[in-house]
Amino acid sequence: MRFEAITRKSGFLATVLATIVVVASLVRASYTPYSIEVAEFPYSERVISKVIAAILILAGSIMTGRLFVRTGLSKNYCTLPIPIYTILVCGIALSPHTLSSAVVAMLFALALLLITTAVEQDNDINQLFIGATLLGTLPLISPQCILLVAIILVGGILFTLSFKAVVAMVIGWVLPLFAASYIMWYRGDNFFALGESMWQAISQSHAGEVVRLPYGAIPLVATILVIVIGGFAYLLYKRN
């Protein structure tokens, strides 16, 4: 079997390869976790959480593959981003909070897919609103994702969105944060308690233990670097 069958011809084979990567990584992390995987949270997650995380990772990889094709980043049909996504997510080391990390990655991939699809459909306001709402949901799971609000600004400039589309995206992004703040205020907390807790989570410094890179991850890191450097070199060579 030629490798081209995986990279260009068969989405099924690419999905199977991604599944093998995810399952192997989760099984390895369950029995022989790396030190960096237990540095923040020494207790392993439940099996059901890992199963759900695996499903979400695969869903995110498929969405990333569709995003790659729909945006025309490749001249030909290519399914290689599907296994590459899983390698980047869990090939080197899994997050101690596997489920929440998988949710963030999947929602982010879905948000980008909806936004780019909306641009192709003459700035569909509904899809832009839903995509921005998903981006606004991410900080509720991982406060550091609040920086992704820059996507709205970059998207508005890059895709020359109309003023109405930008306003819809801003409202969609603010809506989940406003709803969460209102619920906390209704329960008796300060209305700005959510913002304060998110700021503390972002600004808090973690003086974690310096750990070595696992030996098993070194070939994967080298492979990823070769792919990234090769991709940039190809873009410089083929500027069009």
Side-chain angles (χ1 to χ4, degrees), residues 91-129:
I92 298 175
L94 288 172
S95 169
H97 311 284
T98 311
L99 182 57
S100 59
S101 299
V103 171
V104 168
M106 191 272 294
L107 290 179
F108 181 60
L110 179 58
L112 291 183
L113 180 60
L114 289 174
I115 292 173
T116 52
T117 303
V119 172
E120 288 183 349
Q121 298 175 355
D122 296 329
N123 300 337
D124 188 341
I125 300 296
N126 293 329
Q127 291 197 26
L128 288 174
F129 177 81

Side-chain angles (χ1 to χ4, degrees), residues 138-148 197-202:
L138 296 181
L140 301 178
I141 305 173
S142 178
Q144 290 78 7
C145 292
I146 197 171
L147 299 177
L148 295 178
S197 62
M198 292 176 60
W199 172 254
Q200 292 178 358
I202 295 174

